[in-house]
Amino acid sequence: MGDSMNVTNLIAISVAVSLDAFAVAIGKGLSLEKKSVSKSLLVGILFGIFQMMMTLIGFFLGKSCASFIEVTAHWLAFLLLGVVGVNMILEGFRNETDDTGWRIPTLLVLSLATSLDAFSVGITLAFLKTQIFATSIVIGLITFVLCFIGVFLGHKLGTKFQTGATAFGGLILILIGCHILLEHFGWF
């Protein structure tokens, strides 16, 4: 891909950046009453596009505002994932069966929250010799595939553990947000 980025490193970075989106996709799948290819595609496409775009944005803004972004990105991810997670937990205890969690605004918030690490990776890539467009496309494609599979995996788990599955998905989001925050402080 460039002098400082080989294919193995690119795939490793892509998978690592995609894992929080994959976990969120599993959480979303937990709330599905029936298997849905369209919802799996929607999550995969949104999360993949956000991962790709945030990598590019991070790359292009990396040299000019790296210190400010590094200080605030983890707090934003923690806040967004926490709010959506608490909402999912409340829905789970109310046994709501509507598609509130599948509305586009909710999915966009989740896509943004899980792509902030891709933004940070983009900042880092700004200091390496890499073909950023090819790199960001690979990151987006791997995220798409993992999230598509994640929704189906979550649905499979949700059908086995229907009681509390949505609340558990919300708990996953909160834990991911906490992990991002704790990782920033060097505790993970």
Side-chain angles (χ1 to χ4, degrees):
M1 302 287 358
D3 295 341
S4 299
M5 177 77 71
N6 64 36
V7 173
T8 304
N9 288 342
L10 174 58
I11 291 171
I13 288 170
S14 299
V15 170
V17 163
S18 300
L19 288 179
D20 56 347
F22 175 67
V24 171
I26 291 171
K28 294 307 298 172
L30 286 170
S31 68
L32 286 177
E33 290 181 18
K34 60 183 178 178
K35 192 178 348 180
S36 173
V37 173
S38 63
K39 288 184 177 179
S40 296
L41 281 171
L42 179 63
V43 168
I45 289 169
L46 287 176
F47 283 44
I49 287 172
F50 266 78
Q51 293 280 358
M52 181 181 71
M53 296 306 296
M54 292 298 276
T55 301
L56 287 170
I57 292 168
F59 178 85
F60 289 115
L61 292 178
K63 292 183 181 180
S64 62
C65 0
S67 60
F68 173 75
I69 293 164
E70 288 295 324
V71 171
T72 59
H74 58 279
W75 287 106
L76 182 59
F78 173 73
L79 179 66
L80 292 172
L81 290 170
V83 168
V84 174
V86 167
N87 186 50
M88 284 179 69
I89 289 172
L90 293 174
E91 287 175 10
F93 285 120
R94 283 181 268 188
N95 292 322
E96 293 181 1
T97 58
D98 66 8
D99 278 351
T100 303
W102 287 94
R103 291 187 183 145
I104 296 295
T106 301
L107 293 176
L108 290 174
V109 167
L110 291 172
S111 298
L112 175 63
T114 59
S115 66
L116 292 174
D117 55 348
F119 184 78
S120 297
V121 166
I123 292 169
T124 303
L125 293 174
F127 302 104
L128 301 175
K129 293 180 181 177
T130 185
Q131 296 176 5
I132 190 60
F133 290 106
T135 300
S136 63
I137 288 170
V138 171
I139 289 171
L141 287 174
I142 288 177
T143 301
F144 166 79
V145 170
L146 288 177
C147 289
F148 183 83
I149 292 168
V151 172
F152 280 114
L153 182 60
H155 167 68
K156 188 79 167 169
L157 292 170
T159 57
K160 290 186 178 192
F161 307 103
Q162 287 182 4
T163 304
T166 301
F168 184 69
L171 179 62
I172 289 172
L173 294 183
I174 292 170
L175 291 175
I176 291 169
C178 289
H179 182 267
I180 289 169
L181 191 62
L182 294 174
E183 187 175 53
H184 170 75
F185 291 120
W187 296 346
F188 276 104

